[in-house]
Amino acid sequence: MAARIHVGAGAATALSTFNSKKLVAPPSRTNLPARSSKRYIVAAAGSDGSKKSLLRVRHSQKLIANAAVATKAETSATTGTGHELLLFEALQEGLEEEMDRDPHVCVMGEDVGHYGGSYKVTKGLADKFGDLRVLDTPICENAFTGMGIGAAMTGLRPVIEGMNMGFLLLAFNQISNNCGMLHYTSGGQFTIPVVIRGPGGVGRQLGAEHSQRLESYFQSIPGIQMVACSTPYNAKGLMKAAIRSENPVILFEHVLLYNLKEKIPDEEYICNLEEAEMVRPGEHITILTYSRMRYHVMQAAKTLVNKGYDPEVIDIRSLKPFDLHTIGNSVKKTHRVLIVEECMRTGGIGASLTAAINENFHDYLDAPVMCLSSQDVPTPYAGTLEEWTVVQPAQIVTAVEQLCQ
Amino acid sequence: MAQHLKSSSSRSTLLNVLRHNLGLGSPSHASRHLRHNLPHNPPSTRVSPNPLTRLCNTMVDTLSSTSSHEDANSQVMDFPGGKVAFTPEIHFISESNEQRVPCYRVLDDNGQQLTDSRFVPVSEEVAVKMYSDMVTLQMMDNIFYEAQRQGRLSFYATAFGEEAINIASAAALSPQDVIFPQYREPGVLLWRGFTLQEFANQCFGNKSDYGKGRQMPVHYGSNKLNYFTVSATIATQLPNAVGAAYSLKMDGKEACAVTFFGDGGSSEGDFHAALNFAAVMEAPVLFICRNNGWAISTPTSDQFRSDGVVVKGRAYGIRSIRVDGNDALAMYSAVHEGREMAIREHRPILIEALTYRVGHHSTSDDSTRYRSADEIEWWNKARNPLSRFRTWVESNGWWSDEAESDLRSRIKKEMLEAIRVAEKTEKPNLNHMFSDVYDVPPLNLREQELLVRKCVKSHPQDYPSDVPL
């Protein structure tokens, strides 16, 4: 993403101002400190942040095939500053910056200390901040999540790492009953500003138990927020925002996206936790996606553009709550919706999103909302089978063609 | 070789050199990440059939010039985790000790101080407050229980029989120690200054309740008194307490975390994990188990097969003590000493307080269905913690019948007034159904609140009159 317009809480992004007359600024949220707006800068050369930079954005979209392997980002001429790094490094950078900024931020999880984390997100942090702030725990997800919650209630801001999101199923009790609830049941007396993060999603032959999509199970828990990162830019931004949030936030990373490379700004920035990201503005159809499926969608978009379609691609990023403002504006414009997700068909994010869109924007739809998901099967180990449990670009192209008839 | 090892000084020197060469540092926090760098080029020695012996020989031989045959008994091996001696005996450690772990007590069954008892002395002021609070707790429980039976409260759980655990442990702690209760420890709050009115407000869920009417009765919480809101799930507060202790340790505070749980709670996975974590983290946390013999209808014989909960401490490397939970002085001393150790030495402590749950599990339970009324009555009368402590307090001249009756009539009056006021006070505003789910209510919750309000407006007769809109 070449042009970066850094946004603060509540402000509309220039990238989504296609139909500016329909756009109403979303209500401001107070979960980001007001003073942080000073840090937001416009990196794009276009000073008015208008359509000029928009077009530039569109041309320099990088379409990453298959999403697994790092590819060199197309660097636009506009960003002379900035530094290139991989997604896991972006997460680490965000985490390190927040730990520098606030001594209450700490990390706990398995092998996060000197080992640097199983995906190296916490690499080097134990050396810098010490064993106590980057804490290696024994193997018990429910216990260290519970520990993080207790520490948060006493004033710390823990970042709890699940080595794989699937393991956090063991922490479900603490997350649902304590993390999500105690702020409410204590009458607001105790806050739980934890970040729970880890890699999930279908990888490369990791087996069924290590290919879980936990956003399906967690989405119902009241009191928590869920976000999914997909690029180094939003990974760092969401990490920082999640740490600063007073609410418990679950940050979903994807096993196959850790080696994505991108140039991100040198200046400090934060991404809004409740905002969706406009990846590619378009007119014909709204494609809603998140995490790894974004890249499959963008690959399909390439094919679709060649076939004469103009899809609008939105990375919803905020899984709980949905950014119905951005999504709604898009639906009102295109009148067709395709959801592409990695969750299982039953009870996934797509299922909830379909319901939300139908409920809220029924009148604007020219066709039923279509949702492409994984099948309701445990992820097989065999590579060929595994590939077919995940939505592929060809299916996305077919679905768009079908919807746009 | 055997000669080397038999001499303790040279053996320890040898082993120290061995440790050093293997890259094993001192058993400190930082050296958890031990990596074994075994030497690669063993010099030629006679080959022993036992690979472990061979390896041991190899290591020793690289450091000492002499090599001779030694028997298995005098060898030790530095496995990951430290050195262990070998034994030629095939010996299973018994599942239980011959003797059960003895129970620390100061007062006998009748409240007389035992002649050789050692305990932390309490002043008159503290002793009188302890006893008064025990009486208050008992009366509060009685009156709230009756109120539930009369239909004025929806639910209640008493702490009958466990007043000494409640009050004495609270008395031995400092106000900065953070408490993570299960649900049978309101006495700790009482000691710290929670008023009867505040208890009643929570039980009635009115607008003065700090929990804003969101939880069921007895799920108290007070951040200003460092008493964390009761979460109904069993034993989930144990890892929370470890986290709080970790936080206190990070901040270098002169305080510890204290968490309570029952015999039933010790079966939960969180108990085991929390103890393990606390030991590894060297966290200053007191684990106080109220072993009251029953988990609803499950007696301890169906809960575990170990010698109670105290022996489990050693399994996790935690210093533990068993104490007579109905002996206020013993509880006070145990908690006092435990707290000192926890804070000074940064270690967890496990305290198993033996007691008896005189009351039912809660107002939804009738315990005479699974235990004899005689048994309950015996514990209520013969082993009553209040009467035992009262005898001791009176023997010091600090209490009298008159003081007792004065206290009881005062508390009764206060309680009835508290209930009357709490009952009359209106409930929290409807918007509190939606606040505090997040720091700021998101769009979907604001929408949902509007829907509820619309519904109430169109069916006002179905909506309770004491909940303001």
Side-chain angles (χ1 to χ4, degrees), chain B residues 294 356 367-379:
Chain B
W294 297 93
Y356 190 85
S367 58
T368 55
R369 280 183 296 145
Y370 49 81
R371 55 185 187 174
S372 75
D374 291 339
E375 180 187 302
I376 305 171
E377 196 48 30
W378 185 74
W379 279 95

Side-chain angles (χ1 to χ4, degrees), chain A residues 312-355:
Chain A
E312 177 155 291
V313 179
I314 295 177
D315 181 338
I316 61 173
R317 244 168 47 181
S318 175
L319 307 180
K320 183 180 171 77
F322 293 133
D323 179 5
L324 287 179
H325 175 76
T326 307
I327 294 170
N329 283 336
S330 179
V331 175
K332 288 173 188 173
K333 180 175 62 171
T334 67
H335 311 297
R336 287 160 217 282
V337 180
L338 172 66
I339 300 170
V340 179
E341 59 163 355
E342 213 174 296
C343 286
M344 318 273 188
R345 161 60 103 226
T346 304
I349 295 291
S352 302
L353 193 50
T354 305

Side-chain angles (χ1 to χ4, degrees), chain A residues 27-31 103-108 113-115 131-151 153-156 173-174 177-178 180-190 221-225 245-248 320-321 324-325 360, chain B residues 29-33 35 178 180 210-212 214-215 219 221-224 226-231 233-251 253 268-270 273-274 276-277 280-281 432-444 446-447:
Chain A
S28 66
R29 296 190 56 85
T30 58
N31 56 340
H104 295 104
V105 180
C106 55
V107 181
M108 48 186 76
H114 296 278
Y115 189 70
D131 281 331
L132 216 45
R133 270 184 89 184
V134 186
L135 193 62
D136 271 337
T137 65
I139 305 178
C140 186
E141 281 71 14
N142 208 34
F144 64 71
T145 306
M147 217 181 119
I149 293 165
M153 287 165 86
T154 352
L156 294 185
N173 190 10
Q174 288 285 352
N177 278 319
N178 287 345
M181 267 190 213
L182 276 166
H183 182 62
Y184 184 77
T185 58
S186 70
Q189 293 183 86
F190 300 102
I221 302 174
I224 57 152
Q225 272 187 266
S245 169
E246 290 304 311
N247 298 316
K320 183 180 171 77
L324 287 179
H325 175 76
N360 288 291
Chain B
H29 197 68
S31 66
R32 279 170 294 148
H33 312 280
R35 299 282 180 262
V178 290
F180 285 84
Y210 300 130
K212 295 179 187 156
R214 292 162 180 157
Q215 261 289 16
H219 288 62
S222 166
N223 62 348
K224 74 173 192 283
N226 283 323
Y227 188 95
F228 282 68
T229 304
V230 173
S231 175
T233 44
I234 300 291
T236 56
Q237 72 277 11
L238 266 64
N240 293 160
V242 177
Y246 161 77
S247 170
L248 292 171
K249 184 174 156 181
M250 281 254 276
D251 288 341
K253 293 221 175 99
E268 276 284 351
D270 276 352
N276 189 35
F277 272 58
V280 171
M281 307 292 152
H432 282 312
M433 183 169 144
F434 298 94
S435 67
D436 295 329
V437 181
Y438 296 98
D439 53 352
V440 172
L443 184 65
N444 61 326
R446 290 203 306 271
E447 270 174 18

Side-chain angles (χ1 to χ4, degrees), chain B residues 250-409:
Chain B
M250 281 254 276
D251 288 341
K253 293 221 175 99
E254 186 82 9
C256 65
V258 183
T259 182
F260 294 86
F261 54 98
D263 39 290
S266 76
S267 292
E268 276 284 351
D270 276 352
F271 164 82
H272 301 272
L275 259 65
N276 189 35
F277 272 58
V280 171
M281 307 292 152
E282 295 168 5
V285 51
L286 294 189
F287 293 103
I288 302 182
C289 175
R290 296 176 291 97
N291 185 343
N292 61 21
W294 297 93
I296 308 189
S297 69
T298 307
T300 47
S301 54
D302 285 343
Q303 195 68 249
F304 40 67
R305 286 298 157 88
S306 55
D307 172 18
V309 174
V310 65
V311 291
K312 298 190 209 233
R314 174 162 272 195
Y316 301 108
I318 293 182
R319 212 168 273 178
S320 338
I321 187 171
R322 165 173 281 161
V323 63
D324 179 353
N326 288 357
D327 179 342
L329 288 180
M331 268 313 290
Y332 182 90
S333 297
V335 173
H336 186 274
E337 293 299 288
R339 178 183 180 275
E340 287 278 295
M341 279 190 275
I343 296 176
R344 207 181 43 232
E345 299 172 44
H346 280 153
R347 57 165 68 247
I349 302 285
L350 172 63
I351 298 174
E352 180 187 21
L354 299 181
T355 182
Y356 190 85
R357 193 196 76 207
V358 169
H360 307 300
H361 168 71
S362 71
T363 48
S364 315
D365 173 48
D366 172 16
S367 58
T368 55
R369 280 183 296 145
Y370 49 81
R371 55 185 187 174
S372 75
D374 291 339
E375 180 187 302
I376 305 171
E377 196 48 30
W378 185 74
W379 279 95
N380 193 19
K381 288 279 150 32
R383 295 280 207 224
N384 190 304
L386 273 83
S387 46
R388 280 170 76 190
F389 192 48
R390 180 180 169 176
T391 306
W392 183 82
V393 175
E394 276 183 348
S395 73
N396 284 323
W398 297 338
W399 198 250
S400 63
D401 284 341
E402 200 188 323
E404 179 88 12
S405 60
D406 278 350
L407 176 69
R408 285 188 181 263
S409 65

